[in-house]
Structure formats: structure tokens, C-alpha cells
Amino acid sequence: MPILKGIGGDFTLQSSKGYEVSLSDYQDKVVMLFFGYTNCPDICPTTIAHISQMIKTLTPEQRKRVQVLFISIDTDYDTPEHLNKYLEYFDPSFIGLVDEREKIDHVAKLYHAEYSKLANEK
């Protein structure tokens, strides 16, 4: 994959594990960062399943050097508890991140990730 200059940056968000997580916490690891939501019917679970399968092909030593971070864009539905339960199905080492809408929007902007809510808001 190409390295894109000017994309990304450090951030701090609340994790599904019950503590704050900063990207800089994983300076010594390869971080696989994924934006999605647990109520997604197809793309999100399929992608997470592919990531999980790829992680399982690594040796234990290699796995120690990789961290998967799943940033939920659905701050209304995805609680830390729900997100943790969802991700544990794929791999207990995966960490979900969910926080206030403004913080998620800031991180999405850093990584040029775009999303929109299509359902009617009530």
C-alpha cells in the first residue's frame, strides 16, 4: 500500500476495554486502523473477519507486534461494552474505540475517512 503523506496523526479516544487509548501508545507496533460500526450488515463484519483471519496466520511473535483498532462511527448505538463484545467474537486482542461525536469526527478528518448517517434521525 502506498504511504500517503499528510494523512493521520495521534489521537486519544475511549476504548471498549475501559481506558483511554492513544495511537502513540502503539509506536512499536503495526496498527491496523478501521472505521466502522457494529450494526453494519455486511462490509464491517466481513472486513473484520478478513483481518482476524490474517492475524491468525501470523506467528505468536508477529502477533505481538500488531494491534487492530476499530473506531466506531456510530456513537449513538455502539457503547464500549457492546463494541467489546462484538470485537471479542473476531479476536479478543482487537480494541474498539468510541467517544463523543466531535472526537470521532476529528480522527476521521485526520485520516480522510468520510461517512454519513443514511437512516432517518428521530
Side-chain angles (χ1 to χ4, degrees):
M1 294 184 64
I3 296 174
L4 304 175
K5 295 183 188 239
I7 293 185
D10 198 17
F11 59 83
T12 301
L13 296 171
Q14 187 61 38
S15 81
S16 60
K17 306 285 188 184
Y19 51 85
E20 283 191 336
V21 166
S22 296
L23 181 62
S24 59
D25 295 340
Y26 304 102
Q27 287 182 13
D28 60 337
K29 294 187 177 199
V30 172
V31 174
M32 298 184 73
L33 189 63
F34 179 71
F35 291 85
Y37 58 104
T38 64
N39 212 22
C40 175
D42 48 21
I43 295 171
C44 300
T46 301
T47 302
I48 290 293
H50 284 299
I51 292 170
S52 176
Q53 290 301 313
M54 187 275 309
I55 294 290
K56 289 177 183 171
T57 68
L58 301 176
T59 66
E61 191 58 39
Q62 291 169 327
R63 285 183 77 159
K64 289 179 188 176
R65 298 190 328 244
V66 176
Q67 181 60 60
V68 175
L69 299 178
F70 179 95
I71 299 177
S72 173
I73 58 169
D74 189 352
T75 58
D76 296 327
Y77 182 78
D78 288 341
T79 64
E81 296 80 18
H82 178 74
L83 192 54
N84 198 48
K85 189 176 188 179
Y86 175 81
L87 292 173
E88 281 186 353
Y89 173 77
F90 298 99
D91 190 301
S93 72
F94 292 2
I95 298 175
L97 303 174
V98 62
D99 214 309
E100 299 168 359
R101 166 69 49 219
E102 295 78 23
K103 289 182 177 182
I104 298 297
D105 288 346
H106 172 72
V107 177
K109 186 176 180 181
L110 283 173
Y111 287 86
H112 296 229
E114 296 182 16
Y115 63 92
S116 62
K117 189 170 185 178
L118 299 177
N120 291 335
E121 294 187 28
K122 295 183 182 192

